[in-house]
Amino acid sequence: MSEEEEEIRIGVFVCHCGSNIGGYIDCKSIAEWAKSLPHVVFTQDNLYTCSETGLAQIKKGVNENNLNRVIVASCTPRTHEPLFRSCIQEEGVNPYLFNFVNIRDQNTWVHQKEPEKAFEKAKELIAMGVAKAAKLEPLEKIIVDTTPTALVIGAGVAGITAALSMANQGFETHLVEKEAEIGGKLNILDKLYPTNQDASELLKSLKKRVNDNTNLTVYTSASVKSIEGFIGNFEIEIEQNGNVKELTIGVIIVAVGASLFTPTGLFNYDGQKRITQAELETLLKNNQVESSNVVMIQCVGSRIEERKYCSSVCCMVALKNALEIKERNPKANVTILFRDLYTPGTYYEDYYRRAREAGVIFIEYAPEKMPIVEDNQVRVHNEYLGQDILIPYDLVVLSTPLVSNEDNKDIAQMLKVPLEENGFFLEAHVKLRPMDFATDGVYICGSAKWPVDITESIAQGYAAASRASTIISHSTLEVEGATSSLPEYNRNLCTGCEVCITVCPYKAISKDENDEILIQQVLCKGCGVCGATCTNHAIVIRHFTDDQILSEILAFGGQYDGV
Amino acid sequence: MTQTETKTESEEWTPKIIAFLCNWCSYAGADLAGVSRIQYPPNIRIVRVPCSGRVSPFFIIKSLMDGWDGVVISGCHPGDCHYISGNLVARRRFGIIRDVLEFFGIEPGRVNFMWASAAEGERFAVLIRKATKIIKELGPIKKF
């Protein structure tokens, strides 16, 4: 609402789009008719409004008639709105004072057999467009400064990769690890598939690169205590040995990984003779495997009602460890009991072939008839034989899933990002934005999202770092002006019911220290859900205000006399 | 088309329908119907909104009060919302709206809520044909 009410002067440009519009309806007479609409002071029809000539005509129209609102009735705003917006901006008119009326894609092209009706429809659409244009308000894009620093939470292989990538791009990077050592699961693994490289070897080289990097600060036995602020400007507190360090951070990468699952009560697990794959890794690492009859059971505690997901790494881990045992003791009997065996891609499938060639036995079991671990033998029902098979063992290895960390909830709450049903972090969109959170400036990689192996963790670490650097590689950030707001003049309408806080998908709305609603424009994407939910119409959705949309609704009935 | 045919056609009553389409899916779907030259009845007037979640119940009631015979609200499919969950808020809202309309004595069929993606020009046209048919059968809106 401007202080001095400026006279509204609307110009309407009706485009023929060659014959795409002009071939069906009489654009000249529509332009002529539009002169009768309120506030319209200039109209024109153009063969192609988007052409050099057309744009020049808009500019001329704006200058000669002091237009402060411009309407183009033509194709679709999805392709041409930016062009016309910048055209009027060049003439000193705020780009948000442009309004598009779609009379091609949504009119002449879909009513080709009813041109008279398309003609009437075009007129009505223009009348609606003019009504909205009269209510448009100038808006500015918001520019915020960004701090060129990154925080990576979790120093497993994904986190280290992401942190190194950020640091190598020249950003001051902070890597926080809750354990005393960095490296995550690399610390407990023996070998890594598919290359059979020693995990300790990879860890050693990563540690060296971390230590040598001057842009990278590592905090071990540390945790993130609080996160405030927004993209480009997060205020972080890190606690280490009772000391609190405060940092200003531009972007955050979540790489907290996942936890091991202890299969208490499953298959007579005892940690001695009946162990998990993770425990077997330690035995292999210390060269303590002496068993000659090993039975591995897959999908222990995963793909069940309570934990529906596939942990994705266990099939390959079992294959790798089975091969390792076979390699050290070719006479050892290794049997893998499985529900389904997942070895996707060329390398992993090849690994499976190698295991078969080495003499590893694979027996399928059905979830309805689970294997039974007895004192010295495993009983498994085989569908094809129609009977139980008894396999003697001196070591049973259970392939258990990676599960979400218990403290994920705390981190999620601080970051205002969601967790899924299993407690893993939920990305913004599985296909469109796999490394992003819905909250701007926060990214995710590795097993924090769902269990992934070392190869995938490294790939995701790089991916998250590249997403994060798109933000802090610029010193400022431009934010859309068409956002939600609670203007001063509406403050008294707000009852503080907090429904807007609940529905906002971006957590852009909160209450300030005075218990008043605060909308962070930087976080807002302008979806308008809060405004439509606000029972008192206190919230204004800029560029799609109640007033603007109502003017479109009421332009048809002719009963409109302001709200 | 002969003169007489045009006349009979124009004499036949057809509804006026206001369609609130989300910018990212349904508005693009409506454009695609155009690009693919899929024809549908010329009864709808499209209002572009950022998200189906932007459509306040107030807009719907006001449209019907102002003489529009029917309302269409279309957003992205569940799970595909450009704004993550705006369409789900919209869905919840319109479940309630339909009940309220009935309470007012307005046929719930006048308000049609649907999903159409940016790739579904054909689906958009089919849904608009369907909505137009339903609203046409209900006849002109009564002033209230």
Side-chain angles (χ1 to χ4, degrees):
Chain A
M1 292 207 174
S2 61
E3 296 274 315
E4 42 192 297
E5 285 294 326
E6 192 189 17
E7 185 205 351
I8 293 163
R9 299 177 66 81
I10 302 176
V12 179
F13 296 83
V14 185
C15 180
H16 290 250
C17 193
S19 62
N20 283 303
I21 299 169
Y24 299 93
I25 59 179
D26 181 357
C27 295
K28 197 167 222 31
S29 74
I30 288 182
E32 216 31 64
W33 166 84
K35 286 197 172 114
S36 66
L37 293 167
H39 306 294
V40 175
V41 294
F42 180 76
T43 69
Q44 194 174 52
D45 60 306
N46 322 95
L47 188 56
Y48 288 103
T49 314
C50 63
S51 67
E52 285 290 320
T53 331
L55 295 175
Q57 280 173 325
I58 293 181
K59 288 180 180 174
K60 190 159 170 265
V62 168
N63 281 327
E64 288 180 357
N65 303 281
N66 290 323
L67 301 179
N68 52 22
R69 303 284 189 285
V70 171
I71 288 178
V72 173
S74 182
C75 44
T76 168
R78 294 178 56 254
T79 54
H80 283 69
E81 191 173 60
L83 177 74
F84 296 125
R85 274 185 169 182
S86 66
C87 170
I88 66 164
Q89 195 171 16
E90 282 171 34
E91 295 310 299
V93 182
N94 184 288
Y96 289 93
L97 296 179
F98 171 80
N99 195 23
F100 210 109
V101 177
N102 185 327
I103 59 166
R104 188 190 72 180
D105 293 35
Q106 297 174 359
N107 189 29
T108 54
W109 275 357
V110 289
H111 311 309
Q112 290 176 318
K113 295 186 186 108
E114 300 168 282
E116 304 89 353
K117 287 185 178 168
F119 179 72
E120 288 308 317
K121 180 175 171 181
K123 279 163 61 176
E124 285 182 19
L125 288 171
I126 291 170
M128 289 164 73
V130 167
K132 176 168 183 180
K135 298 279 178 185
L136 287 176
E137 288 171 13
L139 296 174
E140 298 300 331
K141 290 211 166 166
I142 307 156
I143 309 282
V144 279
D145 292 331
T146 59
T147 315
T149 55
L151 169 73
V152 180
I153 309 173
V157 70
I160 294 174
T161 308
L164 278 172
S165 172
M166 295 306 286
N168 286 337
Q169 289 178 71
F171 301 117
E172 181 192 317
T173 307
H174 301 268
L175 180 59
V176 178
E177 171 57 49
K178 65 179 171 188
E179 304 294 337
E181 286 288 324
I182 66 164
K185 300 287 175 290
L186 281 180
N187 285 301
I188 59 160
L189 294 177
D190 173 42
K191 301 235 175 210
L192 304 174
Y193 62 79
T195 55
N196 280 21
Q197 180 192 20
D198 278 335
S200 56
E201 207 177 283
L202 175 64
L203 183 57
K204 212 171 115 191
S205 94
L206 284 177
K207 275 185 174 167
K208 186 175 165 10
R209 284 164 63 198
V210 167
N211 287 335
D212 292 351
N213 201 308
T214 48
N215 286 332
L216 187 54
T217 317
V218 182
Y219 308 81
T220 48
S221 308
S223 61
V224 178
K225 278 290 138 209
S226 86
I227 300 169
E228 297 291 334
F230 47 84
I231 181 168
N233 302 280
F234 292 103
E235 298 297 333
I236 314 276
E237 280 181 9
I238 297 171
E239 193 187 301
Q240 189 184 31
N241 309 321
N243 301 322
V244 174
K245 186 164 181 173
E246 286 174 18
L247 295 168
T248 304
I249 294 290
V251 286
I252 301 171
I253 297 174
V254 177
V256 295
S259 302
L260 298 171
F261 173 72
T262 313
T264 318
L266 294 173
F267 300 99
N268 291 327
Y269 167 79
D270 61 1
Q272 303 290 324
K273 209 177 158 186
R274 296 173 280 261
I275 62 175
T276 63
Q277 290 286 0
E279 288 159 339
L280 175 62
E281 296 274 351
T282 314
L283 293 181
L284 285 168
K285 220 167 138 175
N286 302 334
N287 222 349
Q288 289 170 329
V289 181
E290 281 144 14
S291 319
S292 47
N293 289 303
V294 181
V295 179
M296 297 183 178
I297 306 177
Q298 300 302 107
C299 298
V300 175
S302 63
R303 304 174 70 210
I304 54 173
E305 200 44 44
E306 184 194 342
R307 213 172 286 104
K308 289 200 185 84
Y309 64 92
C310 162
S311 182
S312 100
V313 298
C314 345
C315 283
M316 284 303 293
V317 168
L319 288 178
K320 178 200 68 165
N321 289 343
L323 263 173
E324 195 58 31
I325 293 168
K326 276 294 214 183
E327 210 160 275
R328 294 184 196 185
N329 175 12
K331 289 211 173 104
N333 295 310
V334 184
T335 311
I336 296 181
L337 310 182
F338 68 99
R339 273 174 65 182
D340 300 279
L341 211 58
Y342 293 141
T343 59
T346 45
Y347 289 119
Y348 293 1
E349 183 65 11
D350 184 50
Y351 219 96
Y352 167 67
R353 282 175 195 283
R354 273 161 55 199
R356 296 212 70 134
E357 277 160 16
V360 177
I361 309 281
F362 293 86
I363 300 174
E364 190 178 350
Y365 73 87
E368 304 82 46
K369 284 195 175 156
M370 297 294 272
I372 298 162
V373 176
E374 296 169 356
D375 278 348
N376 293 306
Q377 61 183 10
V378 177
R379 180 183 293 273
V380 59
H381 183 80
N382 187 282
E383 281 292 320
Y384 304 112
L385 297 174
Q387 63 184 54
D388 288 357
I389 300 175
L390 304 175
I391 313 157
Y393 73 86
D394 39 35
L395 187 68
V396 165
V397 185
L398 306 175
S399 293
T400 52
L402 287 168
V403 293
S404 57
N405 298 345
E406 276 181 7
D407 58 358
N408 277 3
K409 236 181 284 152
D410 305 332
I411 296 171
Q413 206 154 21
M414 279 191 278
L415 287 167
K416 297 176 184 137
V417 299
L419 298 177
E420 46 88 273
E421 55 183 323
N422 300 298
F424 290 106
F425 286 90
L426 186 66
E427 71 277 66
H429 191 284
V430 68
K431 297 191 292 284
L432 301 176
R433 294 171 65 196
M435 315 318 295
D436 303 9
F437 279 112
T439 307
D440 275 345
V442 190
Y443 304 89
I444 181 161
C445 59
S447 293
K449 195 161 64 162
W450 62 66
V452 288
D453 59 24
I454 303 292
T455 318
E456 180 70 18
S457 294
I458 293 170
Q460 290 193 9
Y462 281 124
S466 84
R467 290 292 297 147
S469 63
T470 58
I471 304 299
I472 54 173
S473 55
H474 303 278
S475 58
T476 57
L477 190 70
E478 202 175 64
V479 181
E480 177 57 43
T483 54
S484 157
S485 75
L486 178 57
E488 269 323 302
Y489 56 84
N490 271 2
R491 280 267 166 209
N492 58 345
L493 293 177
C494 175
T495 58
C497 72
E498 300 186 9
V499 171
C500 53
I501 300 180
T502 322
V503 295
C504 176
Y506 300 97
K507 313 278 185 236
I509 312 180
S510 55
K511 274 196 168 170
D512 66 11
E513 58 272 20
N514 301 324
D515 207 32
E516 289 208 32
I517 290 293
L518 176 76
I519 303 173
Q520 292 276 12
Q521 277 206 28
V522 189
L523 297 178
C524 176
K525 296 275 182 289
C527 67
V529 173
C530 58
T533 312
C534 180
T535 49
N536 276 6
H537 299 265
I539 292 178
V540 172
I541 308 302
R542 295 194 183 101
H543 208 57
F544 293 96
T545 64
D546 282 3
D547 213 16
Q548 288 161 3
I549 294 176
L550 280 172
S551 65
E552 286 183 272
I553 295 171
L554 300 178
F556 157 66
Q559 298 170 5
Y560 186 60
D561 50 5
V563 185
Chain B
M1 204 184 282
T2 66
Q3 277 299 101
T4 20
E5 262 170 8
T6 320
K7 208 170 178 198
T8 11
E9 232 175 76
S10 67
E11 274 168 5
E12 188 192 4
W13 178 82
T14 55
K16 282 222 165 159
I17 302 164
I18 190 162
F20 297 97
L21 307 187
C22 83
N23 185 42
W24 306 96
C25 290
S26 298
Y27 193 92
D31 277 352
L32 182 62
V35 174
S36 323
R37 308 296 195 280
I38 302 164
Q39 308 294 300
Y40 56 79
N43 303 73
I44 62 160
R45 305 289 176 265
I46 291 169
V47 171
R48 186 162 68 120
V49 287
C51 176
S52 54
R54 170 65 189 107
V55 182
S56 147
F58 181 51
F59 297 161
I60 298 165
I61 306 287
K62 203 76 178 161
S63 298
L64 295 171
M65 283 173 73
D66 190 55
W68 292 93
D69 301 300
V71 180
V72 166
I73 303 107
S74 184
C76 312
H77 285 272
D80 286 347
C81 182
H82 182 80
Y83 301 104
I84 305 163
S85 56
N87 57 350
L88 302 182
V89 175
R91 179 169 65 181
R92 238 171 289 151
R93 199 180 285 151
F94 297 115
I96 300 166
I97 273 281
R98 285 173 75 96
D99 293 345
V100 174
L101 287 174
E102 213 158 11
F103 181 76
F104 280 0
I106 303 168
E107 304 88 337
R110 294 198 186 272
V111 178
N112 292 270
F113 190 57
M114 60 199 221
W115 320 114
S117 80
E120 293 175 330
E122 178 69 53
R123 179 182 157 88
F124 178 81
V126 167
L127 290 173
I128 290 302
R129 274 182 221 129
K130 208 173 117 193
T132 310
K133 189 166 171 279
I134 295 170
I135 297 163
K136 193 174 173 184
E137 278 165 8
L138 289 172
I141 183 106
K142 291 188 283 285
K143 288 273 171 191
F144 65 97

